[in-house]
Amino acid sequence: SRRSPSPAPPALPPKAATSRSASPIKVPKGVGAGSSMSGISLSEDAVNVFYQVRLKSTYRWVLWKINDTATEVVIEKLGAPESTYAEFLASLPQDDCRYAVFDYSFVGGDGQVHSKIVFINWAPDVAKVKSKMMYASTKDFLKSNLEGLSLEFQGSDMDEVEESVVGEAVRALKRNY
């Protein structure tokens, strides 16, 4: 039986339409090149969208998945700049693995708004073993292409990535400067 092709990942809007300034995003040289030990590569958009989160605040969060042919990490969902952490959590599948980044903002004791980019490796207990293995063997390769991550969380259930847990860790990071 033939499988129908999976829907195309969301396309990134043209750079001019998404940037808050006219200058293009400068992605570091060599980013996205090569593949992980598992042979899984990164789509160019998968890397570029991270820099749109980090440098331009075009999106609040990104959810990546390994495509159906297990050859490439691609964008699955994007969170609008005004989206909440609850909306982000609701986008995580209950039965499969994903990678994500969330631009976590909070008001510090100094009254200033602080922002930290958090990486989440989502691998629920009920996910298939093969999926967990592919995501585990590709995680470090993906992270090596994402400069500027502040914290990493490994989540196998929602309690491990709930907002109170992430918020506390981000605030502790700020206190430790």
Side-chain angles (χ1 to χ4, degrees):
S1 73
R2 288 190 95 185
R3 293 173 65 180
S4 61
S6 61
L12 290 177
K15 286 183 179 165
T18 60
S19 65
R20 291 188 176 180
S21 69
S23 63
I25 296 172
K26 293 190 181 354
V27 176
K29 262 193 166 147
V31 168
S35 63
S36 68
M37 290 188 315
S38 60
I40 297 172
S41 64
L42 304 176
S43 73
E44 186 176 334
D45 282 348
V47 176
N48 288 339
V49 74
F50 170 75
Y51 290 95
Q52 289 197 14
V53 170
R54 184 175 152 236
L55 302 173
K56 302 281 188 179
S57 299
T58 306
Y59 304 104
R60 183 81 183 268
W61 52 267
V62 180
L63 195 62
W64 292 282
K65 69 176 191 171
I66 295 175
N67 67 3
D68 293 340
T69 57
T71 57
E72 192 173 48
V73 175
V74 297
I75 300 165
E76 181 177 41
K77 294 181 185 175
L78 300 168
E82 66 278 355
S83 64
T84 66
Y85 195 79
E87 292 168 330
F88 162 70
L89 288 180
S91 72
L92 294 173
Q94 294 182 4
D95 61 352
D96 202 3
C97 303
R98 293 295 183 268
Y99 303 116
V101 293
F102 188 91
D103 187 358
Y104 194 91
S105 298
F106 65 98
V107 177
D110 56 3
Q112 299 289 320
V113 175
H114 302 278
S115 181
K116 299 292 176 194
I117 305 290
V118 177
F119 181 86
I120 296 174
N121 184 26
W122 178 246
D125 291 331
V126 296
K128 294 178 181 170
V129 172
K130 182 178 180 179
S131 179
K132 289 180 185 180
M133 290 174 60
M134 282 192 311
Y135 278 80
S137 65
T138 307
K139 179 189 76 162
D140 288 337
F141 176 67
L142 172 61
K143 282 181 50 188
S144 73
N145 285 277
L146 307 179
E147 292 181 8
L149 296 171
S150 297
L151 286 171
E152 175 183 343
F153 289 86
Q154 168 71 44
S156 59
D157 66 50
M158 288 294 175
D159 291 344
E160 295 171 335
V161 294
E162 67 184 20
E163 188 166 9
S164 62
V165 172
V166 172
E168 184 178 322
V170 169
R171 285 177 180 84
L173 184 67
K174 174 64 179 140
R175 284 190 296 271
N176 294 332
Y177 276 2

